[in-house]
Amino acid sequence: MARKAAIIGGGVIGGGWAARFLLNGWDVAVFDPDPEAPRKVGEVLANARAALPALSDGPMPAEGRLVFAGTITEAVEGAEYIQESVSERLDLKHRVFAQIQQVANTTPIGSSTSGFKPSELQQNAANPAVIFVAHPFNPVYLLPLAEVVPSPASDPGLIERVKETLREIGMFPLHVRKEIDAHIADRFLEAVWREALWLVKDGVATTEEIDEAIRMGFGLRWGQMGLFETYRVAGGEAGMKHFMAQFGPCLQWPWTKLTDVPEFTDELVDLIAGQSDAQSGAYTIRELERIRDQNLIGFLRVLKERNWGAGKVLLDHDARRRAAAFAPVVGEGPMVTARMTVLPGWIDYNGHMTESRYLFAASETSDAFLRHIGADIAYVGTGFSYYTAETHIMHAGEAKLGDALTGTVQVLAADEKRLHIFIRILRDGAPVATLEQMLLHVDMGKGKTCAAPQAILDRLLPIAQAHATLPRPEAAGRHVGQRTT
Amino acid sequence: MARKAAIIGGGVIGGGWAARFLLNGWDVAVFDPDPEAPRKVGEVLANARAALPALSDGPMPAEGRLVFAGTITEAVEGAEYIQESVSERLDLKHRVFAQIQQVANTTPIGSSTSGFKPSELQQNAANPAVIFVAHPFNPVYLLPLAEVVPSPASDPGLIERVKETLREIGMFPLHVRKEIDAHIADRFLEAVWREALWLVKDGVATTEEIDEAIRMGFGLRWGQMGLFETYRVAGGEAGMKHFMAQFGPCLQWPWTKLTDVPEFTDELVDLIAGQSDAQSGAYTIRELERIRDQNLIGFLRVLKERNWGAGKVLLDHDARRRAAAFAPVVGEGPMVTARMTVLPGWIDYNGHMTESRYLFAASETSDAFLRHIGADIAYVGTGFSYYTAETHIMHAGEAKLGDALTGTVQVLAADEKRLHIFIRILRDGAPVATLEQMLLHVDMGKGKTCAAPQAILDRLLPIAQAHATLPRPEAAGRHVGQRTT
């Protein structure tokens, strides 16, 4: 049975939490007295469905069931995890916790609060030990960060279990060891926000100029390394001490002396709203959300390819999902070696899978086969490899976004040097493309074909022998433009 | 003759400027009395050569000539642009400007200063009007931002010409209209740095936890939208005013009250250096530089694909380079329709072009041919398109990083519905791969082949007729595994 999470407060943040749980296979009950909540959560969920699966390289679990509960009691019943994302009013949060703990006083309750400390949240609670901060970042369904802040009254074992729950839904729980106003990230955001408001108010820069100053420069650095690692690199071989010696003192110059926030007069609000309209008004908020999500997917996939930063979180999450690891299936028919999902980056302007991605899918399929017979990356490291000499592709259908594809290999012929295979890229058991390939075993140093070693042949030749009894595919041996018989 | 830039100060920043100019075809003279300067600039240049071309989708211009000048006078002679990147000491900068202006007092002089205002730089200068701030961000060869800050004494026409020069080397000049300590971006960096030092000093977070708090969350947002646009989206349909009303006041809470920087005691320096070693010490600075550059290339290419933020700058820069636009060459032989450079993202773990990229290169080639005969994106928008039914690929060589490839199309046969073509992907005139393809003209709505319209046939059939006299490629009509005759 699916696990259940309760989401109290169904705005953009609560909706983002709901989406993360649902798309990771949890059932979710949302409570929010706002009659607009189902629409709002629905919009976030639609965005999340279009975005989160694009980060995964394995099939997604079946989506959980979403219900809107009429009461807090109904929402939290049977929930294994409760997340509170109501407005930033301490009295309101206290009332929500009290209602929850009337019926569920041992269930973990995370709060999305930006500013309150866990000890403040815990005041007067029936069971303060289970209340903590779990502060996410919008869009919650894409950004991995959740600041997890316990107080001294928190149950350390529960906090560890909560971190594990957050990892299970693909997040990066950052354990903040000392509670402090605004945790960590929002302290930076506040400091920057304050500087930015003064720059706009004093006419030094517009909202657009400030955004350019961030996203054309240090924003790109921070998305992958953060502050200290960036400065460590800037310090050069001499290291962080050198950087501090060189740049530390000059950062003491009084460039920014202000801690006041400018008063939110109508003039200032109008000035900023007007500049923001001039900057971004050409897009609706929905359009901006989609642009933002596509950009973030791109960044996150770049980092995933490099196993770096937030990309490491994605790879770890894939690995968790692959717990029931997928191994090539050796059976009666062609060997199933790959399962893939058509990702947004594979789609062309027609909405179909880009032509070259069929060959990509085939490469995933044949690479898995080669790994199976022992010609894996380690083997390539010894200076030998199978190279593709020739390929024939037949298109039989069109794969579309989100399609689940299976790749199979049938060995048509194999000897010491040659490996003649037939690949099927299947959707619902029917081919969308078939590929016939001739691979040659190559001594990469000499740039010449050579015999594969016995260890590989011992794995390959029995498969070839077994496949010899399979019906020969009609498309094998075809040349381009040949009449269909 | 190549244009010349003079770079005064050959550290990481000066070296980055030198690399940007050189790789964009300018000659560069560097002056730096440090005997280590050639090694340091050489290291930055090596990084830049491995990184900057990866952002370009056209061939790079021939690299300019780099010389190390013995004097400032020699360095600036004949230079069209001068960039100063010496240490952050105002007296030193004044001496450099004085020496420059003894021999070149009308040439623009940009300063890389992080903190000084242009009016401070201009003090006592022979010609203050040509001195301004051009503040870049490390790595200068990848990040587009240059804050251009004039003072009231600056020559507005010269500032406009300087901005154009910066665009020519692929940068984004951000014109800061009012001079202010630390310009714009470094005010934010200082505010965050100050907060971060206190968090470390007070034991709230380590350097690594702070970096994670940035790069797992808002750092990813800022790399593509910045501060205000991010908040505009967060505010939802109600817009920026709503966001300000909702979140403005709570940002006035005194989360961050500190403007002092903690004293740089040995203890604090050791604490930070030690935490940084624990966080990043597994990598050398060179390794971190390469990781950073590859991450940034990835981010920038994601944005380029989406024509967004810094990616827009890259596309504009490509378009400038393509001034002598490339049009398909219609001549005696097969039609040349595409020129490409093998990019880092096209390379597999063997260091060779990934198999599916050969088909990608062929698609680029055939798409250009289809555009030429009128089957372009606008045509696809009407509900008709050419679909590939079948492809045969022969591999004849291995393309490697940076190889310049040419794609040609030979029409083997064409009628109303069918288009049978032979594509060659050439390097130095010799094929690395050839592809035979059968394309069918399709009514996308009906999912059926249909006759192409007369307008397309009028362009296609004369080419087919002309190509009928060309020798038939040996690989045409081959099936996989066929013996070579």
Side-chain angles (χ1 to χ4, degrees):
Chain A
M1 214 183 76
R3 301 160 74 183
K4 175 179 170 184
I7 305 296
I8 312 300
V12 170
I13 298 299
W17 279 107
R20 246 205 201 273
F21 278 105
L22 285 166
L23 291 171
N24 279 286
W26 288 52
D27 287 342
V28 169
V30 174
F31 171 76
D32 192 323
D34 178 1
E36 290 284 279
R39 180 185 61 80
K40 289 183 185 168
V41 170
E43 283 169 3
V44 178
L45 189 53
N47 277 350
R49 284 191 187 117
L52 185 59
L55 298 179
S56 175
D57 289 299
M60 298 289 289
E63 196 175 307
R65 205 168 65 94
L66 170 66
V67 297
F68 289 88
T71 61
I72 286 184
T73 302
E74 185 190 328
V76 303
E77 195 196 340
E80 189 179 323
Y81 183 89
I82 301 167
Q83 181 74 25
E84 168 274 309
S85 311
V86 305
S87 302
E88 285 289 81
R89 283 172 36 212
L90 192 54
D91 61 325
L92 176 61
K93 290 183 190 277
H94 283 160
R95 280 205 308 279
V96 166
F97 300 150
Q99 282 193 47
I100 293 171
Q101 296 203 325
Q102 277 174 13
V103 290
N105 78 349
T106 57
T107 315
I109 306 176
S111 170
S112 301
T113 182
S114 305
F116 294 115
K117 289 185 281 207
S119 59
E120 293 169 321
L121 300 174
Q122 292 166 343
Q123 282 157 10
N124 308 317
N127 182 7
V130 300
I131 299 172
F132 54 90
V133 171
H135 177 232
F137 292 77
N138 191 37
V140 179
Y141 50 83
L142 285 182
L143 295 182
L145 185 62
E147 291 174 312
V148 175
V149 197
S151 86
S154 298
D155 170 358
L158 177 135
I159 293 295
E160 289 309 312
R161 290 195 300 279
V162 160
K163 285 159 65 180
E164 191 57 21
T165 297
L166 295 174
R167 284 188 202 104
E168 279 163 17
I169 59 170
M171 299 188 88
F172 179 83
L174 180 66
H175 191 134
V176 180
R177 286 168 290 106
K178 275 195 194 180
E179 63 171 3
I180 183 175
D181 285 322
H183 328 313
I184 298 176
D186 274 8
R187 294 182 72 85
F188 302 139
L189 293 176
E190 197 210 30
V192 168
W193 171 249
R194 191 171 53 201
E195 281 303 311
L197 289 181
W198 281 112
L199 289 172
V200 173
K201 184 179 160 64
D202 293 347
V204 174
T206 63
T207 60
E208 178 166 4
E209 288 163 351
I210 287 169
D211 282 354
E212 300 294 19
I214 294 173
R215 70 180 181 167
M216 294 289 174
F218 71 85
L220 292 163
R221 292 196 307 220
W222 282 6
Q224 39 95 37
M225 280 194 171
L227 180 73
F228 284 99
E229 197 159 66
T230 296
Y231 285 160
R232 184 185 177 93
V233 181
E237 291 297 346
M240 199 66 199
K241 268 197 170 174
H242 173 72
F243 174 81
M244 303 266 295
Q246 201 180 351
F247 294 98
C250 94
L251 286 164
Q252 228 163 346
W253 295 341
W255 286 339
T256 60
K257 315 176 254 302
L258 302 162
T259 53
D260 297 341
V261 178
E263 205 190 328
F264 272 60
T265 59
D266 286 352
E267 287 73 29
L268 181 58
V269 170
D270 284 347
L271 180 65
I272 289 179
Q275 289 185 356
S276 175
D277 285 351
Q279 173 187 355
S280 316
Y283 301 97
T284 66
I285 299 294
R286 287 286 159 271
E287 286 169 332
L288 285 173
E289 281 174 349
R290 280 192 291 268
I291 291 167
R292 175 199 63 189
D293 286 0
Q294 290 304 312
N295 290 339
L296 290 175
I297 289 167
F299 281 12
L300 288 164
R301 288 208 64 94
V302 162
L303 295 172
K304 190 179 184 187
E305 275 170 34
R306 297 180 163 72
N307 191 20
W308 187 261
K312 221 187 257 275
V313 177
L314 297 175
L315 283 170
D316 290 349
H317 192 227
D318 275 7
R320 269 168 189 276
R321 283 241 188 86
R322 221 178 286 123
F326 180 74
V329 180
V330 187
E332 297 291 299
M335 190 182 297
V336 178
T337 64
R339 296 199 196 282
M340 297 156 281
T341 303
V342 180
L343 300 171
W346 299 20
I347 298 299
D348 67 12
Y349 51 83
N350 283 333
H352 302 142
M353 190 158 105
T354 311
E355 199 176 325
S356 61
R357 285 291 175 179
Y358 290 93
L359 186 49
F360 176 83
S363 294
E364 295 284 294
T365 304
S366 58
D367 283 355
F369 178 81
L370 292 173
R371 283 195 297 276
H372 180 73
I373 62 169
D376 54 11
I377 286 200
Y379 180 69
V380 170
T382 68
F384 297 89
S385 186
Y386 277 97
Y387 279 11
T388 306
E390 198 170 1
T391 301
H392 176 262
I393 310 175
M394 291 283 285
H395 293 274
E398 289 156 32
K400 297 197 180 60
L401 183 65
D403 281 355
L405 303 180
T406 300
T408 69
V409 172
Q410 176 177 347
V411 179
L412 299 177
D415 61 23
E416 287 187 333
K417 292 184 182 176
R418 293 160 33 118
L419 171 54
H420 188 176
I421 56 177
F422 192 81
I423 297 169
R424 291 174 177 87
I425 306 297
L426 306 164
R427 179 185 48 199
D428 298 331
V432 289
T434 60
L435 296 93
E436 182 184 2
Q437 288 198 307
M438 181 63 74
L439 307 178
L440 300 175
H441 187 264
V442 172
D443 178 332
M444 294 163 73
K446 294 190 183 150
K448 289 205 152 151
T449 59
C450 68
Q454 200 55 44
I456 286 181
L457 297 174
D458 284 349
R459 304 206 62 168
L460 169 60
L461 297 179
I463 300 171
Q465 206 165 5
H467 285 193
T469 62
L470 295 175
R472 192 170 175 87
E474 200 184 331
R478 252 186 84 84
H479 65 257
V480 171
Q482 187 177 325
R483 300 264 158 198
T484 310
T485 52
Chain B
M1 214 184 76
R3 301 160 74 184
K4 176 180 169 183
I7 304 296
I8 313 300
V12 170
I13 298 299
W17 278 106
R20 249 208 198 270
F21 277 106
L22 286 166
L23 291 171
N24 279 287
W26 288 53
D27 287 341
V28 169
V30 174
F31 171 76
D32 193 322
D34 178 1
E36 292 283 280
R39 180 185 62 80
K40 289 182 186 169
V41 171
E43 282 169 2
V44 178
L45 189 53
N47 277 351
R49 284 190 186 119
L52 185 58
L55 297 179
S56 175
D57 289 299
M60 298 289 289
E63 195 175 308
R65 205 168 64 94
L66 171 65
V67 296
F68 288 88
T71 62
I72 285 184
T73 303
E74 185 191 329
V76 302
E77 196 195 339
E80 191 180 319
Y81 182 88
I82 301 167
Q83 181 74 24
E84 168 273 309
S85 311
V86 305
S87 302
E88 286 290 81
R89 284 170 36 212
L90 192 55
D91 61 324
L92 175 61
K93 291 183 189 278
H94 283 160
R95 281 207 307 280
V96 166
F97 300 151
Q99 281 192 48
I100 292 171
Q101 296 203 325
Q102 277 175 12
V103 291
N105 78 349
T106 58
T107 315
I109 306 176
S111 171
S112 302
T113 182
S114 306
F116 294 115
K117 290 184 280 206
S119 59
E120 293 169 321
L121 299 173
Q122 292 166 344
Q123 282 157 11
N124 309 316
N127 183 5
V130 301
I131 298 172
F132 55 91
V133 171
H135 178 231
F137 290 77
N138 190 39
V140 180
Y141 50 84
L142 286 182
L143 295 182
L145 184 62
E147 290 174 312
V148 175
V149 197
S151 87
S154 297
D155 170 358
L158 177 134
I159 293 295
E160 290 308 313
R161 290 195 300 280
V162 160
K163 284 158 67 180
E164 191 56 22
T165 297
L166 295 175
R167 285 188 201 104
E168 280 163 15
I169 59 170
M171 298 187 90
F172 178 83
L174 179 66
H175 190 135
V176 180
R177 288 167 289 105
K178 274 195 194 181
E179 62 172 2
I180 184 175
D181 286 322
H183 330 313
I184 298 175
D186 275 9
R187 293 182 73 85
F188 302 138
L189 292 177
E190 196 210 29
V192 169
W193 171 249
R194 191 172 52 203
E195 281 304 309
L197 290 181
W198 282 114
L199 289 172
V200 173
K201 185 179 159 63
D202 292 347
V204 174
T206 63
T207 60
E208 177 166 4
E209 287 164 351
I210 288 169
D211 282 354
E212 301 292 19
I214 295 172
R215 71 180 181 166
M216 294 290 173
F218 71 84
L220 292 163
R221 292 196 307 220
W222 282 6
Q224 39 94 36
M225 281 195 171
L227 180 73
F228 284 99
E229 197 158 65
T230 296
Y231 285 159
R232 184 185 179 90
V233 181
E237 291 297 345
M240 199 66 199
K241 269 196 170 174
H242 173 72
F243 174 80
M244 303 265 298
Q246 199 180 354
F247 294 98
C250 94
L251 285 163
Q252 226 162 344
W253 295 341
W255 287 339
T256 61
K257 319 175 250 304
L258 302 161
T259 54
D260 298 341
V261 178
E263 205 192 326
F264 272 60
T265 59
D266 286 353
E267 286 72 29
L268 180 58
V269 170
D270 285 348
L271 179 65
I272 290 180
Q275 288 185 357
S276 175
D277 286 350
Q279 173 187 356
S280 316
Y283 301 99
T284 67
I285 298 295
R286 288 285 158 271
E287 286 168 332
L288 285 173
E289 281 173 350
R290 281 193 291 268
I291 290 167
R292 175 199 63 190
D293 287 359
Q294 290 304 312
N295 290 340
L296 290 175
I297 290 167
F299 281 12
L300 288 164
R301 289 208 65 95
V302 162
L303 295 173
K304 190 178 184 187
E305 274 170 36
R306 297 178 162 74
N307 192 21
W308 186 262
K312 220 186 257 272
V313 177
L314 298 175
L315 283 170
D316 290 348
H317 192 228
D318 275 6
R320 271 168 188 274
R321 285 242 187 84
R322 220 179 287 123
F326 179 74
V329 180
V330 187
E332 297 291 300
M335 190 182 297
V336 177
T337 63
R339 295 199 197 282
M340 298 155 281
T341 304
V342 180
L343 299 171
W346 300 20
I347 298 300
D348 66 13
Y349 52 82
N350 283 334
H352 302 142
M353 189 157 106
T354 311
E355 199 176 325
S356 61
R357 284 292 175 179
Y358 290 93
L359 186 50
F360 176 82
S363 294
E364 294 286 293
T365 304
S366 58
D367 283 355
F369 178 81
L370 292 173
R371 283 195 297 275
H372 180 72
I373 62 171
D376 54 11
I377 286 201
Y379 179 70
V380 171
T382 68
F384 298 89
S385 184
Y386 277 97
Y387 277 13
T388 306
E390 197 171 3
T391 301
H392 175 262
I393 310 174
M394 292 282 287
H395 294 273
E398 290 155 32
K400 297 196 180 61
L401 183 65
D403 281 354
L405 302 180
T406 301
T408 69
V409 172
Q410 176 177 347
V411 178
L412 298 178
D415 61 23
E416 287 186 336
K417 291 184 182 176
R418 292 160 34 118
L419 171 54
H420 187 177
I421 57 177
F422 192 81
I423 297 169
R424 291 174 177 87
I425 305 298
L426 306 163
R427 178 184 49 200
D428 299 331
V432 288
T434 60
L435 296 92
E436 183 182 2
Q437 288 199 308
M438 181 63 74
L439 307 178
L440 300 175
H441 187 264
V442 172
D443 179 331
M444 294 162 73
K446 295 190 184 150
K448 288 204 153 153
T449 60
C450 67
Q454 201 55 45
I456 285 180
L457 296 174
D458 284 347
R459 304 206 62 168
L460 170 59
L461 297 178
I463 299 171
Q465 206 165 4
H467 284 194
T469 61
L470 294 175
R472 192 172 176 86
E474 200 184 332
R478 252 187 83 86
H479 63 258
V480 171
Q482 186 176 329
R483 300 264 158 198
T484 311
T485 51

